[in-house]
Amino acid sequence: MHPGAPAEPVLAAWGVDVDGKPVFVGLAPASSESTDAWDDFLADLKERGLGAPLLGISDGAPGLIGAFDRAFPASLRQRCLVHRARNTLAKVSAHDQPQVKADFWAIFEVGDAEPGDQAVAVARQQAAAFAATWQRRYPSAVACVTDDLASLTVHLRFPLLLCQAAAA
């Protein structure tokens, strides 16, 4: 980007290999983050040899979600927890943000629960506790979590070591 020039969208993809190392997958300029732009970007990646990932993680951009689901119909898709945490905290007073943030992240701390249905069930219980605590004061913040909980817990279906590697 040149000084004084308007910002322009750039589409980017990163991956994590089987050893937990980040891998740059692709980068492309775009006129927007539209469905068509993401469709073209992902088609190009596939043409260059990218296979279907086990899991794709993205923000809530509908263009990317639709394009990913079309490009990789067998892959699971996770909503980015960091983006969702930011969306949730934006609906909370500054005074309560530290506790809401801690409570948000506690939803996904499932302890020794087995990956899969058991871990997801623990997260659901913890999300219900989050909702019970904050619903009266921040209904829209609670809705940010509960309305999208299924897409926030997909990573809990994978072994912990794989998730830790991806976060590193």
PDB file of all heavy atoms in Angstrom, residues 104-123:
ATOM      1  N   PHE A 104     -16.354 -15.877  28.636  1.00  0.00           N
ATOM      2  CA  PHE A 104     -16.424 -16.326  27.242  1.00  0.00           C
ATOM      3  C   PHE A 104     -15.393 -17.416  26.991  1.00  0.00           C
ATOM      4  O   PHE A 104     -15.716 -18.493  26.487  1.00  0.00           O
ATOM      5  CB  PHE A 104     -16.194 -15.150  26.281  1.00  0.00           C
ATOM      6  CG  PHE A 104     -16.088 -15.564  24.840  1.00  0.00           C
ATOM      7  CD1 PHE A 104     -17.221 -15.679  24.053  1.00  0.00           C
ATOM      8  CD2 PHE A 104     -14.847 -15.847  24.268  1.00  0.00           C
ATOM      9  CE1 PHE A 104     -17.119 -16.064  22.716  1.00  0.00           C
ATOM     10  CE2 PHE A 104     -14.747 -16.241  22.935  1.00  0.00           C
ATOM     11  CZ  PHE A 104     -15.885 -16.353  22.158  1.00  0.00           C
ATOM     12  N   TRP A 105     -14.149 -17.160  27.338  1.00  0.00           N
ATOM     13  CA  TRP A 105     -13.088 -18.132  27.064  1.00  0.00           C
ATOM     14  C   TRP A 105     -13.258 -19.401  27.893  1.00  0.00           C
ATOM     15  O   TRP A 105     -12.868 -20.492  27.453  1.00  0.00           O
ATOM     16  CB  TRP A 105     -11.711 -17.508  27.239  1.00  0.00           C
ATOM     17  CG  TRP A 105     -11.425 -16.541  26.128  1.00  0.00           C
ATOM     18  CD1 TRP A 105     -11.365 -15.184  26.207  1.00  0.00           C
ATOM     19  CD2 TRP A 105     -11.223 -16.856  24.744  1.00  0.00           C
ATOM     20  NE1 TRP A 105     -11.136 -14.642  24.970  1.00  0.00           N
ATOM     21  CE2 TRP A 105     -11.039 -15.640  24.048  1.00  0.00           C
ATOM     22  CE3 TRP A 105     -11.183 -18.057  24.029  1.00  0.00           C
ATOM     23  CZ2 TRP A 105     -10.824 -15.602  22.675  1.00  0.00           C
ATOM     24  CZ3 TRP A 105     -10.961 -17.997  22.659  1.00  0.00           C
ATOM     25  CH2 TRP A 105     -10.782 -16.786  21.995  1.00  0.00           C
ATOM     26  N   ALA A 106     -13.871 -19.292  29.071  1.00  0.00           N
ATOM     27  CA  ALA A 106     -14.103 -20.471  29.912  1.00  0.00           C
ATOM     28  C   ALA A 106     -15.066 -21.456  29.247  1.00  0.00           C
ATOM     29  O   ALA A 106     -15.011 -22.664  29.534  1.00  0.00           O
ATOM     30  CB  ALA A 106     -14.636 -20.039  31.278  1.00  0.00           C
ATOM     31  N   ILE A 107     -15.917 -20.972  28.359  1.00  0.00           N
ATOM     32  CA  ILE A 107     -16.841 -21.865  27.651  1.00  0.00           C
ATOM     33  C   ILE A 107     -16.076 -22.977  26.946  1.00  0.00           C
ATOM     34  O   ILE A 107     -16.515 -24.129  26.917  1.00  0.00           O
ATOM     35  CB  ILE A 107     -17.687 -21.070  26.627  1.00  0.00           C
ATOM     36  CG1 ILE A 107     -18.635 -20.116  27.330  1.00  0.00           C
ATOM     37  CG2 ILE A 107     -18.441 -22.013  25.681  1.00  0.00           C
ATOM     38  CD1 ILE A 107     -19.309 -19.109  26.397  1.00  0.00           C
ATOM     39  N   PHE A 108     -14.930 -22.660  26.401  1.00  0.00           N
ATOM     40  CA  PHE A 108     -14.198 -23.583  25.540  1.00  0.00           C
ATOM     41  C   PHE A 108     -13.112 -24.369  26.279  1.00  0.00           C
ATOM     42  O   PHE A 108     -12.404 -25.160  25.658  1.00  0.00           O
ATOM     43  CB  PHE A 108     -13.618 -22.812  24.347  1.00  0.00           C
ATOM     44  CG  PHE A 108     -14.673 -21.981  23.679  1.00  0.00           C
ATOM     45  CD1 PHE A 108     -14.754 -20.617  23.895  1.00  0.00           C
ATOM     46  CD2 PHE A 108     -15.640 -22.578  22.881  1.00  0.00           C
ATOM     47  CE1 PHE A 108     -15.753 -19.856  23.320  1.00  0.00           C
ATOM     48  CE2 PHE A 108     -16.651 -21.820  22.307  1.00  0.00           C
ATOM     49  CZ  PHE A 108     -16.707 -20.465  22.524  1.00  0.00           C
ATOM     50  N   GLU A 109     -12.999 -24.157  27.562  1.00  0.00           N
ATOM     51  CA  GLU A 109     -12.071 -24.930  28.399  1.00  0.00           C
ATOM     52  C   GLU A 109     -12.828 -26.157  28.889  1.00  0.00           C
ATOM     53  O   GLU A 109     -13.554 -26.095  29.873  1.00  0.00           O
ATOM     54  CB  GLU A 109     -11.582 -24.080  29.570  1.00  0.00           C
ATOM     55  CG  GLU A 109     -10.725 -22.903  29.174  1.00  0.00           C
ATOM     56  CD  GLU A 109      -9.395 -23.313  28.561  1.00  0.00           C
ATOM     57  OE1 GLU A 109      -8.846 -24.372  28.955  1.00  0.00           O
ATOM     58  OE2 GLU A 109      -8.915 -22.594  27.672  1.00  0.00           O
ATOM     59  N   VAL A 110     -12.649 -27.278  28.218  1.00  0.00           N
ATOM     60  CA  VAL A 110     -13.451 -28.464  28.504  1.00  0.00           C
ATOM     61  C   VAL A 110     -12.724 -29.504  29.341  1.00  0.00           C
ATOM     62  O   VAL A 110     -13.208 -30.628  29.505  1.00  0.00           O
ATOM     63  CB  VAL A 110     -14.002 -29.086  27.203  1.00  0.00           C
ATOM     64  CG1 VAL A 110     -14.945 -28.111  26.508  1.00  0.00           C
ATOM     65  CG2 VAL A 110     -12.880 -29.518  26.283  1.00  0.00           C
ATOM     66  N   GLY A 111     -11.572 -29.150  29.875  1.00  0.00           N
ATOM     67  CA  GLY A 111     -10.846 -30.057  30.770  1.00  0.00           C
ATOM     68  C   GLY A 111     -10.492 -31.376  30.112  1.00  0.00           C
ATOM     69  O   GLY A 111      -9.979 -31.406  29.003  1.00  0.00           O
ATOM     70  N   ASP A 112     -10.823 -32.451  30.779  1.00  0.00           N
ATOM     71  CA  ASP A 112     -10.462 -33.793  30.311  1.00  0.00           C
ATOM     72  C   ASP A 112     -11.533 -34.439  29.443  1.00  0.00           C
ATOM     73  O   ASP A 112     -11.455 -35.638  29.165  1.00  0.00           O
ATOM     74  CB  ASP A 112     -10.175 -34.704  31.510  1.00  0.00           C
ATOM     75  CG  ASP A 112      -8.924 -34.282  32.275  1.00  0.00           C
ATOM     76  OD1 ASP A 112      -8.021 -33.686  31.654  1.00  0.00           O
ATOM     77  OD2 ASP A 112      -8.857 -34.552  33.492  1.00  0.00           O
ATOM     78  N   ALA A 113     -12.519 -33.681  29.026  1.00  0.00           N
ATOM     79  CA  ALA A 113     -13.579 -34.242  28.183  1.00  0.00           C
ATOM     80  C   ALA A 113     -12.968 -34.792  26.899  1.00  0.00           C
ATOM     81  O   ALA A 113     -12.054 -34.203  26.320  1.00  0.00           O
ATOM     82  CB  ALA A 113     -14.626 -33.180  27.857  1.00  0.00           C
ATOM     83  N   GLU A 114     -13.485 -35.913  26.469  1.00  0.00           N
ATOM     84  CA  GLU A 114     -13.017 -36.519  25.222  1.00  0.00           C
ATOM     85  C   GLU A 114     -13.376 -35.627  24.045  1.00  0.00           C
ATOM     86  O   GLU A 114     -14.486 -35.082  23.992  1.00  0.00           O
ATOM     87  CB  GLU A 114     -13.675 -37.883  25.026  1.00  0.00           C
ATOM     88  CG  GLU A 114     -13.131 -38.970  25.920  1.00  0.00           C
ATOM     89  CD  GLU A 114     -11.700 -39.352  25.578  1.00  0.00           C
ATOM     90  OE1 GLU A 114     -11.363 -39.445  24.375  1.00  0.00           O
ATOM     91  OE2 GLU A 114     -10.918 -39.544  26.520  1.00  0.00           O
ATOM     92  N   PRO A 115     -12.452 -35.467  23.089  1.00  0.00           N
ATOM     93  CA  PRO A 115     -12.786 -34.692  21.891  1.00  0.00           C
ATOM     94  C   PRO A 115     -14.018 -35.289  21.211  1.00  0.00           C
ATOM     95  O   PRO A 115     -14.215 -36.501  21.223  1.00  0.00           O
ATOM     96  CB  PRO A 115     -11.556 -34.851  20.999  1.00  0.00           C
ATOM     97  CG  PRO A 115     -10.451 -35.194  21.938  1.00  0.00           C
ATOM     98  CD  PRO A 115     -11.087 -35.979  23.045  1.00  0.00           C
ATOM     99  N   GLY A 116     -14.843 -34.433  20.667  1.00  0.00           N
ATOM    100  CA  GLY A 116     -16.053 -34.900  20.001  1.00  0.00           C
ATOM    101  C   GLY A 116     -17.281 -34.474  20.769  1.00  0.00           C
ATOM    102  O   GLY A 116     -17.322 -33.398  21.376  1.00  0.00           O
ATOM    103  N   ASP A 117     -18.278 -35.331  20.759  1.00  0.00           N
ATOM    104  CA  ASP A 117     -19.565 -34.995  21.370  1.00  0.00           C
ATOM    105  C   ASP A 117     -19.436 -34.651  22.848  1.00  0.00           C
ATOM    106  O   ASP A 117     -20.126 -33.755  23.344  1.00  0.00           O
ATOM    107  CB  ASP A 117     -20.560 -36.132  21.189  1.00  0.00           C
ATOM    108  CG  ASP A 117     -20.998 -36.313  19.736  1.00  0.00           C
ATOM    109  OD1 ASP A 117     -20.840 -35.349  18.950  1.00  0.00           O
ATOM    110  OD2 ASP A 117     -21.478 -37.406  19.399  1.00  0.00           O
ATOM    111  N   GLN A 118     -18.566 -35.349  23.566  1.00  0.00           N
ATOM    112  CA  GLN A 118     -18.420 -35.074  24.996  1.00  0.00           C
ATOM    113  C   GLN A 118     -17.877 -33.664  25.234  1.00  0.00           C
ATOM    114  O   GLN A 118     -18.412 -32.923  26.072  1.00  0.00           O
ATOM    115  CB  GLN A 118     -17.496 -36.118  25.646  1.00  0.00           C
ATOM    116  CG  GLN A 118     -17.406 -35.968  27.156  1.00  0.00           C
ATOM    117  CD  GLN A 118     -16.450 -36.982  27.779  1.00  0.00           C
ATOM    118  OE1 GLN A 118     -15.370 -37.230  27.234  1.00  0.00           O
ATOM    119  NE2 GLN A 118     -16.857 -37.539  28.903  1.00  0.00           N
ATOM    120  N   ALA A 119     -16.851 -33.278  24.521  1.00  0.00           N
ATOM    121  CA  ALA A 119     -16.280 -31.934  24.684  1.00  0.00           C
ATOM    122  C   ALA A 119     -17.283 -30.860  24.275  1.00  0.00           C
ATOM    123  O   ALA A 119     -17.411 -29.833  24.945  1.00  0.00           O
ATOM    124  CB  ALA A 119     -14.989 -31.815  23.869  1.00  0.00           C
ATOM    125  N   VAL A 120     -18.005 -31.098  23.201  1.00  0.00           N
ATOM    126  CA  VAL A 120     -19.009 -30.136  22.751  1.00  0.00           C
ATOM    127  C   VAL A 120     -20.121 -30.012  23.797  1.00  0.00           C
ATOM    128  O   VAL A 120     -20.598 -28.905  24.078  1.00  0.00           O
ATOM    129  CB  VAL A 120     -19.574 -30.523  21.361  1.00  0.00           C
ATOM    130  CG1 VAL A 120     -20.759 -29.661  20.982  1.00  0.00           C
ATOM    131  CG2 VAL A 120     -18.470 -30.411  20.306  1.00  0.00           C
ATOM    132  N   ALA A 121     -20.518 -31.112  24.406  1.00  0.00           N
ATOM    133  CA  ALA A 121     -21.561 -31.076  25.441  1.00  0.00           C
ATOM    134  C   ALA A 121     -21.108 -30.253  26.640  1.00  0.00           C
ATOM    135  O   ALA A 121     -21.886 -29.478  27.205  1.00  0.00           O
ATOM    136  CB  ALA A 121     -21.930 -32.497  25.867  1.00  0.00           C
ATOM    137  N   VAL A 122     -19.842 -30.390  27.040  1.00  0.00           N
ATOM    138  CA  VAL A 122     -19.313 -29.588  28.146  1.00  0.00           C
ATOM    139  C   VAL A 122     -19.356 -28.105  27.777  1.00  0.00           C
ATOM    140  O   VAL A 122     -19.779 -27.260  28.575  1.00  0.00           O
ATOM    141  CB  VAL A 122     -17.880 -30.026  28.523  1.00  0.00           C
ATOM    142  CG1 VAL A 122     -17.241 -29.055  29.502  1.00  0.00           C
ATOM    143  CG2 VAL A 122     -17.891 -31.432  29.101  1.00  0.00           C
ATOM    144  N   ALA A 123     -18.943 -27.779  26.553  1.00  0.00           N
ATOM    145  CA  ALA A 123     -18.979 -26.380  26.108  1.00  0.00           C
ATOM    146  C   ALA A 123     -20.406 -25.850  26.105  1.00  0.00           C
ATOM    147  O   ALA A 123     -20.646 -24.700  26.488  1.00  0.00           O
ATOM    148  CB  ALA A 123     -18.346 -26.250  24.725  1.00  0.00           C
TER     149      ALA A 123
END
